[in-house]
Amino acid sequence: MAFTLTLGSKAPDFSLPATDGKTYALNDFGDAKVLVVFFTCNHCPFVLGSNEVTRETAERFKDQGVRFVGINSNSVNTKPEDSFEHMVEHMKEHRYPWVYLRDETQQVALAYGALRTPHFYVFDEERRLIYTGRGIDNPRESAKSTVNDLANALEDHLAGRPVSVPLTNPIGCNVKWDGQDAHWMPAEACDLV
């Protein structure tokens, strides 16, 4: 059975290098009222298909104290285009409004129980998990999306309401674990991309 962080859990700490040349730990985001940690990458069509929606969501809630942190944990042995160098290029090209971190050892992905890219974790001010799962219901073709679960969760929490749907299944590519061939899982769209 796949493990992922359970609701109410404290955010696992990390210390990871970012594309901006700095190293970030969890407490570097201490000023955030809400922290969104999400596992992402450079190549997955589900990530690429929904990054602009994630950008809009990040910008929409920025003034309410919500910070976004993207983490790439994919093995470069499986997906060379997920290397740190490619991450730097990716951020230069797209200028996303989040810090983009590299989890080379994959220990942070294991601590969070990241299953897919993208996979979102929303933490409150105490850094307890209040939402985890998908961003939107059709990340590969965001134009066909009808629900933004991430935005709904943020809206609920910031309005002082319990998150109405705190748990959804992340939709996307499997995290590319080191030592596992990209083709070992069922031939889903992006395991072969």
Side-chain angles (χ1 to χ4, degrees), residues 18 71 90 112 121 128 132 135 143 170-171 185 187:
I71 300 177
H90 195 64
Y112 279 75
Y121 296 82
R128 298 224 170 256
T132 184
I171 302 169
M185 293 183 197

Side-chain angles (χ1 to χ4, degrees), residues 1 3 13 21 27 35 38 56 69 75 91 103 107-108 113 115 118 123-124 137 160 164 183 190:
M1 180 170 145
F3 157 82
D13 201 1
N27 64 11
L35 186 65
F38 67 108
E56 286 163 22
V69 178
S75 166
M91 282 300 270
D103 175 25
Q107 290 305 305
V108 178
L115 303 174
F123 298 95
D124 65 12
D137 62 341
S164 56
H183 306 282
C190 65

Side-chain angles (χ1 to χ4, degrees), residues 57 60-61 122 131 134-136 146-159 161-166:
T57 304
R60 178 177 156 197
F61 292 100
V122 179
Y131 172 81
R134 67 193 188 185
I136 56 175
T146 58
V147 181
N148 186 331
D149 291 285
L150 177 62
N152 290 346
L154 291 169
E155 219 165 69
D156 281 345
H157 180 69
L158 292 165
R161 302 186 296 262
V163 175
S164 56
V165 181

